Amino acid sequence: TRRHETPNRPAPASAKCGMLSLRRHRRMQPPLSTPVLSPVGTLDRRPIASYAARLGILALLPMMLVVYNDYWAFSSAQVAGIDKWLYPGYFLHLKAQLLAFPHGYYGDRLSDLLPGWLCYRLFGPFLGNYVFKLTVIYTALFSTYAGLRYLLTERAALIAGLVVCAQPYFLIAFGWDYVDGIGIAYYSLSMFFALRAARSKPYRLSLFTCGVCCNLLITSQFLWLNLVWIVPLGYFLANRSGCRHSPWKSLALLIAGFLTAFCAFCAIYYGLTGNWFYLSNTLRHTLNGFGAAQQINIPISKWIYYSTWMVHYNGFILLAAWLVLRGRLQASERLCLVLFIDRKSTRLNSSHLGIS
């Protein structure tokens, strides 16, 4: 028997286009077993309810301080020093205090005085004290968690946030009326917006806000200038393995945000005191008033007793450096370790120079 074969007829053009688009679509789809990684780290896209639940877990720990410790939000009268007693006076009578003490450097810290004055004005001294301190600690905690989501997994970011919130010195910083708590909050906000800008294609607003937060950080305590440079460093390192935005445009946006906040504070200070440069007392006191800041090469035995809180972290510097040099880490893991090394080495150098 003769075998009948169907001749090979050319397929219609529409069928060819459909087959090509299907193949192209399959080629673009990643394998099911391969996780989709963000440019900086693994960012899980969870539902809003899951994200809100994680924030709720983080919010429980500071609230427990209010419920079980009725004096956490108040400065202790048993600790010597006047620093912590100065700022409630500004929160109550901002303009009067600025005019009464025109040469006091603590009046220059407008990024701390203005939010505190607003809380006292709206809620009164007692309730406003709680609102101000909880707002600051939640800002620091949520910013830390949100920033770590761009570097780690959701679970790892949550565990890191819980560990930070249970750290005694972290809690102490927010439980009195000094400026170290709000400085931590501004630092966390700055790093969050820097990582967000490196992670996102629409990066201009985040990077501009990062520059604003850097100014708020330095205004709250001028000696944060020792550490604020780590924020742009973290952005540029994350940007190299992220969206690769233009470094010059990024630098211009950071500077623009910083100068915008600077001009705003100058205008506010001029309206309150009649002088425009709000950091004049801070600069004069930093350059001439801190006796320890004028000394260098202080022996370790002179300051190590007062810096025991950071000794247990210093043991991890060599381990972190070895892991970075080993070269077997992902970009996000390497970035975390580099920022840790920079942070601790800068803090050690500052203490060695006598700058607390």
Side-chain angles (χ1 to χ4, degrees):
T1 59
R2 187 174 180 180
R3 206 172 158 188
H4 296 281
E5 296 181 358
T6 305
N8 294 329
R9 296 180 181 178
S14 59
K16 286 185 177 180
C17 293
M19 294 173 62
L20 289 175
S21 61
L22 180 60
R23 290 175 182 173
R24 191 178 299 112
H25 177 73
R26 289 178 177 174
R27 193 180 303 117
M28 293 174 61
Q29 290 290 334
L32 295 178
S33 60
T34 303
V36 181
L37 299 179
S38 65
V40 180
T42 305
L43 183 61
D44 299 334
R45 299 296 184 182
R46 301 293 184 182
I48 298 179
S50 177
Y51 184 61
R54 296 174 189 273
L55 293 180
I57 295 173
L58 289 173
L60 286 176
L61 291 181
M63 193 57 63
M64 290 174 62
L65 291 172
V66 178
V67 175
Y68 295 103
N69 189 344
D70 56 357
Y71 57 87
W72 168 77
F74 299 94
S75 297
S76 174
Q78 299 177 358
V79 179
I82 66 169
D83 288 354
K84 58 184 178 299
W85 303 112
L86 298 173
Y87 301 98
Y90 284 92
F91 296 163
L92 290 169
H93 311 286
L94 178 60
K95 186 174 182 179
Q97 292 290 98
L98 288 174
L99 296 177
F101 303 98
H103 302 295
Y105 68 92
Y106 29 83
D108 298 353
R109 296 169 175 175
L110 295 179
S111 59
D112 174 63
L113 302 182
L114 291 175
W117 171 82
L118 184 61
C119 289
Y120 276 48
R121 186 84 171 179
L122 294 177
F123 303 100
F126 184 79
L127 184 59
N129 182 52
Y130 277 100
V131 172
F132 179 61
K133 298 230 169 68
L134 287 176
T135 301
V136 172
I137 192 172
Y138 280 136
T139 300
L141 189 58
F142 292 160
S143 300
T144 301
Y145 166 69
L148 288 175
R149 289 176 68 242
Y150 292 108
L151 299 175
L152 309 172
T153 62
E154 291 274 1
R155 184 174 299 177
L158 176 62
I159 294 175
L162 293 173
V163 171
V164 167
C165 192
Q167 219 273 350
Y169 285 100
F170 179 83
L171 299 176
I172 291 174
F174 298 92
W176 64 332
D177 294 308
Y178 195 56
V179 294
D180 48 354
I182 200 168
I184 295 173
Y186 287 139
Y187 185 85
S188 303
L189 268 180
S190 302
M191 190 61 73
F192 162 68
F193 282 113
L195 294 174
R196 180 180 176 85
R199 168 66 174 79
S200 308
K201 290 187 177 180
Y203 70 102
R204 292 178 176 84
L205 180 60
S206 295
L207 207 52
F208 180 86
T209 310
C210 177
V212 172
C213 292
C214 288
N215 180 276
L216 298 177
L217 175 64
I218 296 175
T219 302
S220 68
Q221 168 60 280
F222 192 72
L223 294 181
W224 274 103
L225 193 64
N226 297 324
L227 298 174
V228 72
W229 61 273
I230 298 179
V231 175
L233 173 65
Y235 166 76
F236 287 112
L237 290 177
N239 188 47
R240 289 184 59 187
S241 58
C243 294
R244 295 184 177 271
H245 303 302
S246 170
W248 295 111
K249 290 182 180 179
S250 301
L251 183 61
L253 286 168
L254 280 171
I255 296 175
F258 188 93
L259 292 179
T260 300
F262 175 79
C263 293
F265 282 135
C266 286
I268 294 173
Y269 195 72
Y270 181 81
L272 293 173
T273 65
N275 301 316
W276 68 273
F277 187 43
Y278 67 98
L279 291 176
S280 58
N281 297 321
T282 297
L283 289 175
R284 181 175 61 253
H285 193 75
T286 301
L287 296 176
N288 303 313
F290 289 107
Q294 315 306 320
Q295 306 175 22
I296 60 174
N297 296 327
I298 299 178
I300 295 180
S301 59
K302 298 292 184 181
W303 58 265
I304 193 66
Y305 175 77
Y306 304 99
S307 302
T308 54
W309 58 271
M310 64 179 183
V311 171
H312 55 289
Y313 293 110
N314 298 338
F316 293 102
I317 292 182
L318 296 178
L319 176 61
W322 177 74
L323 291 174
V324 170
L325 296 176
R326 191 182 179 189
R328 297 182 181 180
L329 301 173
Q330 296 181 358
S332 59
E333 296 172 341
R334 186 165 55 251
L335 174 60
C336 290
L337 292 176
V338 168
L339 293 179
F340 170 77
I341 295 171
D342 289 339
R343 167 69 176 85
K344 296 309 298 180
S345 59
T346 304
R347 188 66 182 86
L348 280 173
N349 292 332
S350 299
S351 298
H352 183 62
L353 295 175
I355 303 174
S356 59

